[in-house]
Amino acid sequence: SERTFIMVKPDGVQRGLVGEVLRRFEQRGYKLVALKMIHPPRALLESHYEEHKGKKFYDPLLAYIGSGPVVAMVWEGLNVITVGRKMLGATDPAKSDPGTLRGDYGIVTGRNIVHGSDSESAAKREIDLWFRPDEVS
Ligand code: ATP
């Protein structure tokens, strides 16, 4: 089995969708390994989104994710990286199928409620970035 990093973004927290995200992953059968609420400092977001540095949406993206507390989580289970991404839906909620988190609750890419690691290497990198080793052991 594998682990992934899932984050409820500030809009998801403000809209009261933390429970919904937790409920869906729990009901699917995944194991919650770690969870914390954090108002992410700028340096953490710069590391998290380093692949987007220089893009047009980079500054608005960091302002958005830094606009309030987020809920960071680690989930474990068979194929949780791929299945977790499916449960989130497409990056653009307009293209997300109903039944996905973004397809049920989102409208625009710039406020798309949740984040999920998109590969094994990203999952490892993001879990190491957001959690101390003793928090995920
Ligand atoms: P996430 O990393 O949040 O799970 P993703 O992997 O589906 O999203 P990425 O392409 O990695 O999508 O983009 C990261 C985030 O940057 C998106 O979730 C979205 O919040 C924001 N973003 C991406 N593209 C745009 C865009 N064109 N305009 C505004 N925001 C964008």
Side-chain angles (χ1 to χ4, degrees):
S1 90
E2 59 187 26
R3 288 180 171 187
T4 194
F5 174 73
I6 301 289
M7 170 172 69
V8 185
K9 296 178 176 181
D11 55 325
V13 173
Q14 281 156 19
R15 291 177 56 197
L17 295 173
V18 174
E20 180 68 13
V21 175
L22 283 167
R23 188 182 66 77
R24 289 187 183 208
F25 277 82
E26 284 186 323
Q27 286 193 344
R28 190 74 189 248
Y30 290 120
K31 178 185 168 187
L32 181 61
V33 173
L35 174 146
K36 65 178 159 192
M37 185 177 227
I38 169 176
H39 194 142
R42 171 93 189 178
L44 175 57
L45 297 180
E46 286 177 356
S47 299
H48 179 82
Y49 284 119
E50 64 187 5
E51 67 171 310
H52 296 308
K53 195 166 167 58
K55 292 183 188 168
K56 207 172 56 189
F57 63 82
Y58 179 79
D59 287 332
L61 174 60
L62 260 65
Y64 157 46
I65 307 296
S67 68
V70 303
V71 173
M73 316 181 262
V74 177
W75 290 91
E76 182 177 297
L78 196 64
N79 296 321
V80 69
I81 298 171
T82 305
V83 175
R85 292 278 293 187
K86 280 190 193 162
M87 290 165 67
L88 303 196
T91 304
D92 178 357
K95 300 187 176 107
S96 302
D97 292 327
T100 66
L101 281 158
R102 289 165 176 159
D104 288 345
Y105 298 107
I107 301 174
V108 290
T109 304
R111 288 280 182 280
N112 64 356
I113 304 161
V114 272
H115 162 83
S117 308
D118 63 7
S119 67
E120 230 172 285
S121 61
K124 187 188 176 335
R125 188 182 77 83
E126 292 167 2
I127 291 167
D128 289 349
L129 192 60
W130 288 82
F131 290 92
R132 297 191 313 268
D134 65 289
E135 291 175 317
V136 290
S137 61

